[in-house]
Amino acid sequence: MAPKLPTTWGAIQLPPSFLLPDILLPLTAKRGVKYGWTTAPARGKPNRFNQKTAGLPVLEHSPAAALKRKDFTLPLRTGALAVKKGMTALYDPETGVRTPCTVLQVDRLQVVAHKTRAKHGYFAVQMGSGWKHPSNVTRPVLGHYAGAGVAPKRQLAEFRVKDERGLLSVGQSVGPEWFLEGQFVDTRSNCRGMGFAGGMKRHGFKGQPASHGNSKNHRTMGSSGPSQGAGSRVHPGKRMPGNMGGQQVTVQNVRVLKVDAEKGLIVVNGCVAGPKGCVVKVQDAIKKPWPVIPSVVEEIKDVLKETAKA
Amino acid sequence: MAMPTPTLRPLSCWKSLLRHARHQKVATRSLTTYHKSVTFSKYEIPTPGASIEVTRKIKTYPPPQSPAQKFKEPLKDFTKHQISILDPTGARTHLFSKTNPEAAKVGDILLVRLKTGDPFAGVCINIRRRGVDTGILLRNELTRVGVEMWYKIYSPNVEGIEVVQRREKRARRARLTYLRKPKHDMGSVQNIVLAYQRSRGAMRGSVQEKKGGKKGKGKKK
């Protein structure tokens, strides 16, 4: 028989129940499907040591890595929105060399908003050009313009910049003198839409012979691949008839020939995609050295002098 | 608080103790203190019944001044400006103007003098009017080979354009491409041009003698 325990056991004053440790209390369910999303144990930090991937290069799939990759090609300052007015030519009076050129016009271009790394994940300047009657603008968008303190704009576009130094203050007007004569720019615009085009027009297929027994198949694309076995399917990306044109086309390294602030004109060398009247995004060329802007140099003149002395 | 007094089964007191604690925990859970709700919203929720004044009007700003509205056809202005630089006297424009009855027309034999290189003469078979890009297509035969040359009339390389011979009857086509066909080909116009140049030279001599003789039809510069 078990020895008799002192009867004073029950006389021990227990502390209040909320002070008792949980393990002493009977088990009540705390985790379960009805209490939360998962019943799995909470995940701790993965062990940093003795990993299978040790020594392998770090995968660069983070937003930070993406920004770092783009760092080299992102322009330092914002671009401009312009309207293509048409093409003409310039002659050099000395050499007589004819230079075909495109005339672009800038219309009431202003900074409307900023995109920042902290809030949006990247740096960009939202620019608006033209003017739209407020009665044609929805109230949410009207509020967006009112917040920026600018009139409602016809066109809006974002121009990515490298860092916060490229963020021009909101409401600031930008004219054609933003670009220097002789500098290089990239132009982006939507090219002329061709509608639904066949293989001959869209991809330059040869078509089929006019005769030799050919019947009603002169401009069709013909076969779309081999048959039997592995060939008996159409490969993804097979060029076929479809919608042609109307997509954005970038023309890189276009030289700015003339800038007319009074008339709002930018005259660039060569052609720019799209019909007359289309909207063109103009920004510093990414494949050329960034332009040296006199006003910016003026601001950091002292710093430059000091570095030159040192 | 009922105190169990276990004598025979000392551990059984635990069961009643724990049951008691559990009940107490449930009981204390319902005891709450006064809690003032804190809103995390930026906006205050109006008390029901209170009259709310809402400004429905969104402030709009007037559009800034625009050069684009003043210069609605910049291409036209730009071309005009270019022509005024390249052709300050307006002679070249006048020579190919549609309003000028004395203008050079298709079918005329034209002579283009160049700043560098030999002059070229030929029948004008096409005038492509494109503002500052206006060009003419001349056809001639050199060493029995048909030759066609395009010249931009405002190009600084073109020193002058002269009308050597006019077509007797106005051409009823805008482009005389049929002149390329053997049936209509004018062949070489070199003889006509040479004769014209000789007469010009003679006239120039007489002009120099007389001072103010009648000038040729052709226009210089």
Side-chain angles (χ1 to χ4, degrees):
Chain A
M1 199 177 165
K4 200 181 170 186
L5 279 170
T7 48
T8 47
W9 178 262
I12 301 168
Q13 278 293 316
L14 274 173
S17 62
F18 55 86
L19 287 178
L20 280 174
D22 272 1
I23 39 164
L24 285 180
L25 296 176
L27 194 79
T28 45
K30 277 185 179 170
R31 300 188 76 88
V33 173
K34 59 177 179 179
Y35 299 105
W37 178 244
T38 175
T39 54
R43 276 190 236 167
K45 271 195 174 175
N47 193 3
R48 288 191 290 130
F49 306 105
N50 201 17
Q51 292 253 331
K52 273 184 192 170
T53 53
L56 292 176
V58 180
L59 291 177
E60 295 185 329
H61 290 287
S62 61
L67 274 179
K68 204 178 170 191
R69 274 200 301 278
K70 286 225 92 180
D71 202 42
F72 184 61
T73 50
L74 278 178
L76 302 180
R77 55 184 202 140
T78 174
L81 273 172
V83 175
K84 178 171 165 179
K85 285 292 172 183
M87 286 193 73
T88 179
L90 283 173
Y91 289 94
D92 188 343
E94 274 86 54
T95 58
V97 174
R98 175 180 173 272
T99 318
C101 60
T102 308
V103 178
L104 308 172
Q105 194 169 36
V106 177
D107 181 17
R108 289 167 281 190
L109 183 64
Q110 275 178 309
V111 179
V112 177
H114 288 161
K115 297 281 166 104
T116 56
R117 173 89 172 85
K119 205 168 180 187
H120 308 95
Y122 60 97
F123 288 108
V125 182
Q126 192 186 52
M127 310 284 283
S129 78
W131 181 69
K132 212 173 178 183
H133 197 276
S135 66
N136 288 333
V137 183
T138 58
R139 287 177 61 83
V141 181
L142 212 55
H144 179 59
Y145 291 119
V150 297
K153 297 289 177 189
R154 172 70 52 186
Q155 293 103 18
L156 271 185
E158 258 180 41
F159 289 95
R160 285 197 67 174
V161 290
K162 194 174 177 181
D163 48 28
E164 65 276 355
R165 280 173 293 171
L167 298 178
L168 213 60
S169 56
V170 170
Q172 171 100 39
S173 283
V174 172
E177 66 277 7
W178 184 251
F179 298 105
L180 304 174
E181 278 181 22
Q183 83 159 96
F184 287 91
V185 292
D186 291 343
T187 64
R188 287 160 197 273
S189 49
N190 286 351
C191 70
R192 226 175 251 278
M194 305 287 170
F196 194 99
M200 285 180 74
K201 184 172 176 178
R202 194 176 182 215
H203 303 297
F205 291 167
K206 285 201 176 73
Q208 290 179 35
S211 63
H212 295 289
N214 197 321
S215 168
K216 297 178 180 174
N217 277 304
H218 305 293
R219 291 184 65 87
T220 55
M221 61 177 269
S223 168
S224 58
S227 68
Q228 281 201 337
S232 56
R233 69 188 180 102
V234 177
H235 288 278
K238 171 83 194 85
R239 295 186 296 174
M240 284 189 180
N243 196 43
M244 183 183 173
Q247 83 277 34
Q248 182 176 275
V249 173
T250 309
V251 185
Q252 291 187 318
N253 305 333
V254 184
R255 190 196 292 275
V256 175
L257 299 175
K258 265 178 193 294
V259 164
D260 189 343
E262 187 209 351
K263 292 179 183 175
L265 300 185
I266 307 171
V267 182
V268 296
N269 186 13
C271 45
V272 165
K276 282 176 213 164
C278 74
V279 180
V280 185
K281 289 190 253 177
V282 188
Q283 201 166 15
D284 295 339
I286 60 167
K287 287 191 178 170
K288 298 278 180 187
W290 303 124
V292 180
I293 308 301
S295 61
V296 176
V297 172
E298 206 60 36
E299 279 173 19
I300 55 166
K301 214 171 194 176
D302 303 329
V303 182
L304 285 176
K305 268 182 191 169
E306 278 172 25
T307 50
K309 273 178 196 170
Chain B
M1 198 172 173
M3 264 302 163
T5 51
T7 49
L8 290 172
R9 299 172 72 184
L11 283 179
S12 69
C13 72
W14 273 108
K15 195 175 180 183
S16 59
L17 262 178
L18 295 175
R19 187 186 295 137
H20 179 74
R22 197 163 64 219
H23 282 297
Q24 208 168 26
K25 197 163 193 181
V26 169
T28 51
R29 208 174 279 167
S30 63
L31 290 176
T32 53
T33 49
Y34 173 70
H35 172 70
K36 195 188 176 192
S37 70
V38 178
T39 175
F40 293 101
S41 169
K42 279 195 287 184
Y43 309 101
E44 223 171 89
I45 299 158
T47 50
S51 65
I52 313 154
E53 274 184 32
V54 181
T55 48
R56 302 277 297 165
K57 189 101 177 132
I58 296 175
K59 196 181 178 190
T60 51
Y61 296 84
Q65 283 292 315
S66 159
Q69 281 191 316
K70 237 187 274 173
F71 302 96
K72 286 217 162 144
E73 285 184 342
L75 203 66
K76 232 177 194 173
D77 302 346
F78 190 78
T79 312
K80 219 176 177 180
H81 179 66
Q82 283 298 304
I83 289 175
S84 70
I85 292 170
L86 296 165
D87 182 27
T89 57
R92 206 65 64 77
T93 314
H94 188 64
L95 183 60
F96 289 95
S97 130
K98 275 186 169 174
T99 53
N100 178 17
E102 293 285 296
K105 292 188 172 67
V106 284
D108 295 352
I109 297 171
L110 302 182
L111 175 75
V112 174
R113 282 182 289 107
L114 302 168
K115 264 189 189 148
T116 52
D118 294 330
F120 186 86
V123 192
C124 179
I125 60 174
N126 189 1
I127 300 173
R128 188 189 276 165
R129 292 194 169 86
R130 299 281 189 283
V132 76
D133 259 343
T134 301
I136 50 171
L137 180 59
L138 303 183
R139 184 181 168 86
N140 197 355
E141 202 170 73
L142 301 176
T143 63
R144 293 190 182 178
V145 179
V147 178
E148 284 184 12
M149 293 290 279
W150 272 107
Y151 287 103
K152 299 283 182 193
I153 65 164
Y154 293 111
S155 169
N157 284 345
V158 173
E159 203 177 32
I161 301 174
E162 292 169 31
V163 180
V164 174
Q165 192 186 53
R166 288 189 187 278
R167 195 184 159 102
E168 304 95 54
K169 228 172 130 187
R170 181 182 66 85
R172 299 178 73 161
R173 303 279 176 278
R175 281 171 277 283
L176 310 182
T177 42
Y178 63 82
L179 288 180
R180 289 167 184 162
K181 288 185 179 167
K183 188 185 165 190
H184 300 283
D185 201 349
M186 288 177 76
S188 176
V189 294
Q190 214 60 31
N191 292 334
I192 305 166
V193 175
L194 278 174
Y196 163 78
Q197 280 175 329
R198 236 176 278 131
S199 69
R200 284 272 306 179
M203 203 178 278
R204 196 171 285 162
S206 60
V207 164
Q208 275 172 354
E209 282 167 24
K210 281 193 202 168
K211 278 239 165 169
K214 199 200 166 199
K215 255 194 169 182
K217 265 182 185 172
K219 291 204 168 69
K220 279 207 291 181
K221 185 91 188 175

